[in-house]
């Protein structure tokens, strides 16, 4: 992943309350709280660089005195975090998430000030270790084995400039790009580090890759028409086998991923044998059940992905790129319309029941 970090452990502690004033029944101020606030243009790396100790402690409440019987509340501590953050306890249980700019999460509550209920002795603030887990939020996530051409595709359809290397593990870290349309509509696309067989069992980038797929609204599978072979020691896979293996990896990690709308881009159509391979692949995709015997039993997914569109492309010559952009736009718009329709129905139902 290079410099990219997608999880971070932090120590958070609410402020201690202020001292009470028993003689006059004065109450100490409450301790300050620690808040996580979602902000755009923030990264976990910037938090780590700015606060190497990774400790966040809120201010202490003011003591009660003759001049101010009720002490002031301690200063809150605000930590700016990126969008798409899940907040987990140290045992891995999720306690909150922040998806939109401005959303807030109370990470540690301040302690009560000294008062009658506490015998005028202040209480300590809540303290705990929390984990911030980042999942990229994008409209479309590119899914494919290494060298399928995902990074090249991202640089063709958007303004992103991913680092592309010539070895099997190409993408060093997740990349986000935006497709700009003539009517100023923008669709975000995430290119995620290449999957390999066995990713669900955390081989290669494994879970680091797959968890980012969870937050994308749609999947775009990118497959090399000439097939794929990771190294000389591993088996060669045809384009059809590659699609089934990718489906299997997604299914083993989380079955719900297969319910997302999916598109299929068949890349490297500029190669000599591409046309014949494409005809063969389309035949196999029309009746996948007839060709499942080509794969070993444990590699066959229980459910196959239904593709809304299959688009042959070449990132080298630019063939099919505009058509792919149009298909992505159509698919994202349809999904948004569907969500709006469901939302309207829910609202209507609530109105009818309240009446």
């Amino acid at each position: 992943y290079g410099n990219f970090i997608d999880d971070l452990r932090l120590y958070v502690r609410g402020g201690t309350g202020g001292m009470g004033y028993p003689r006059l029944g004065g109450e100490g101020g409450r301790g300050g709280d620690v808040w996580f606030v979602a902000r755009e243009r923030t990264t976990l790396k910037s938090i780590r660089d700015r606060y190497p100790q990774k400790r966040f402690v809120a201010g202490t409440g003011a003591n009660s005195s003759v001049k101010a019987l009720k002490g002031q509340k301690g200063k809150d501590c605000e930590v700016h975090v990126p969008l798409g953050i899940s907040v987990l306890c140290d045992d891995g249980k999720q306690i909150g998430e922040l998806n939109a700019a401005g959303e807030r999460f109370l990470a540690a509550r301040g302690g009560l000030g000294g008062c009658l209920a506490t015998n005028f002795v202040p209480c300590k603030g809540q303290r705990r270790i929390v984990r911030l887990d980042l999942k990229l939020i994008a409209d479309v996530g590119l899914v494919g084995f290494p060298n399928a051409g995902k990074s090249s595709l991202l640089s063709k359809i958007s303004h992103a400039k991913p680092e592309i290397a010539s070895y099997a593990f190409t993408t060093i870290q997740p990349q986000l790009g935006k497709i700009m349309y003539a009517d100023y509509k923008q669709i975000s696309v995430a290119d995620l580090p290449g999957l390999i067989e066995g990713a669900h069992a955390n081989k290669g980038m494994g879970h680091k890759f797959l968890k980012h797929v969870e937050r994308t609204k749609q999947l775009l599978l990118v497959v090399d028409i000439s097939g794929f072979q990771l190294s000389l020691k591993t088996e060669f896979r045809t384009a059809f086998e590659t699609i089934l293996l990718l489906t299997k990896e997604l299914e083993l990690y989380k079955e719900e991923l297969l319910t997302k709308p999916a598109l299929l881009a068949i890349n490297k159509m500029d190669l000599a044998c591409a046309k014949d391979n494409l005809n063969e692949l389309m035949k196999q995709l029309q009746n996948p059940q007839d060709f499942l015997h080509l794969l070993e039993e444990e590699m066959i997914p229980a459910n196959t992905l239904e593709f809304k569109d299959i688009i042959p492309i070449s990132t080298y010559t630019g063939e099919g790129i505009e058509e792919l952009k149009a298909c992505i736009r159509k698919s994202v718009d349809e999904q948004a319309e569907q969500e709006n329709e469901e939302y309207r129905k829910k609202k209507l139902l609530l109105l009818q029941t309240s009446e």
Side-chain angles (χ1 to χ4, degrees):
Y1 262 154
N3 287 332
F4 182 81
I5 16 180
D6 54 10
D7 59 33
L8 196 61
R9 279 178 86 224
L10 306 175
Y11 171 80
V12 289
R13 193 178 86 209
T16 307
M19 292 290 287
Y21 202 114
R23 208 159 52 117
L24 299 175
E27 286 185 16
R30 260 198 55 198
D33 303 318
V34 180
W35 291 89
F36 292 149
V37 184
R39 271 279 178 91
E40 284 175 358
R41 297 199 179 89
T42 305
T43 63
L44 290 181
K45 186 177 183 297
S46 65
I47 299 174
R48 192 188 63 181
D49 293 349
R50 206 163 157 201
Y51 308 100
Q53 302 289 321
K54 295 184 286 199
R55 285 172 60 88
F56 296 94
V57 181
T60 307
N63 294 337
S64 171
S65 64
V66 177
K67 287 180 182 171
L69 283 179
K70 186 152 176 54
Q72 271 193 328
K73 183 175 184 279
K75 193 169 185 281
D76 283 352
C77 168
E78 287 196 353
V79 187
H80 294 149
V81 299
L83 313 188
I85 282 284
S86 299
V87 186
L88 311 172
C89 283
D90 213 22
D91 60 2
K93 184 171 172 275
Q94 185 169 323
I95 49 176
E97 59 179 14
L98 299 158
N99 292 324
E103 281 188 5
R104 299 164 69 82
F105 173 77
L106 181 59
R109 192 180 286 282
L112 280 174
C115 59
L116 193 61
T118 65
N119 214 4
F120 298 100
V121 177
C123 300
K124 288 188 172 175
Q126 184 183 15
R127 59 172 74 195
R128 58 181 170 188
I129 303 243
V130 292
R131 240 182 61 222
L132 299 183
D133 197 22
L134 173 71
K135 292 175 186 169
L136 292 178
I137 302 175
D139 297 312
V140 181
L142 300 184
V143 178
F145 283 137
N147 277 8
K150 300 193 304 301
S151 301
S152 311
L153 176 60
L154 187 70
S155 57
K156 268 274 189 291
I157 59 177
S158 73
H159 299 293
K161 295 192 168 36
E163 287 179 41
I164 304 167
S166 54
Y167 46 88
F169 279 109
T170 45
T171 307
I172 318 296
Q173 60 188 47
Q175 296 281 345
L176 268 176
K178 276 193 164 62
I179 310 178
M180 312 285 243
Y181 291 91
D183 60 354
Y184 303 108
K185 163 96 175 173
Q186 295 184 11
I187 289 177
S188 56
V189 181
D191 167 30
L192 309 159
L195 237 75
I196 59 166
E197 280 178 46
H200 68 276
N202 217 2
K203 279 190 191 166
M205 294 285 189
H207 291 177
K208 273 198 175 232
F209 163 85
L210 287 161
K211 75 170 186 187
H212 289 301
V213 183
E214 288 180 58
R215 287 280 175 98
T216 56
K217 292 178 188 167
Q218 308 208 350
L219 306 178
L220 172 59
L221 267 69
V222 185
V223 171
D224 184 337
I225 188 62
S226 57
F228 169 70
Q229 187 172 19
L230 183 65
S231 70
L232 296 171
K233 292 176 188 167
T234 57
E235 281 187 60
F236 174 78
R237 303 290 184 196
T238 65
F240 176 66
E241 290 171 346
T242 304
I243 293 166
L244 290 182
L245 282 168
L246 286 170
T247 309
K248 184 72 174 171
E249 288 303 335
L250 294 173
E251 181 183 86
L252 286 170
Y253 179 71
K254 234 183 207 168
E255 272 185 68
E256 301 96 90
L257 293 179
L258 299 190
T259 61
K260 290 179 188 280
L263 299 168
L264 174 62
I266 299 163
N267 192 16
K268 307 197 182 176
M269 287 305 294
D270 50 284
L271 299 177
C273 55
K275 289 276 186 287
D276 298 339
N277 286 354
L278 181 64
N279 294 336
E280 178 72 14
L281 178 61
M282 294 310 264
K283 257 188 255 167
Q284 291 170 326
L285 287 174
Q286 271 157 4
N287 301 302
Q289 303 305 324
D290 301 349
F291 298 94
L292 292 180
H293 62 271
L294 299 170
L295 274 172
E296 299 94 272
E297 189 71 37
E298 67 272 13
M299 293 185 172
I300 299 166
N303 301 293
T304 48
L305 268 171
E306 295 290 321
F307 296 109
K308 293 177 91 172
D309 280 299
I310 297 173
I311 310 104
I313 61 164
S314 165
T315 51
Y316 183 69
T317 63
E319 172 198 338
I321 297 292
E322 287 307 313
E323 189 194 339
L324 176 62
K325 280 161 80 169
C327 286
I328 291 173
R329 170 74 188 262
K330 184 170 152 242
S331 183
V332 169
D333 285 352
E334 277 173 8
Q335 190 182 9
E337 186 52 48
Q338 200 177 334
E339 282 171 5
N340 287 343
E341 191 57 42
E342 282 168 15
Y343 178 71
R344 280 198 291 270
K345 279 180 186 166
K346 266 188 199 164
K347 277 280 194 208
L348 200 63
L349 203 67
L350 278 170
L351 280 169
Q352 285 166 350
T353 49
S354 64
E355 281 167 12

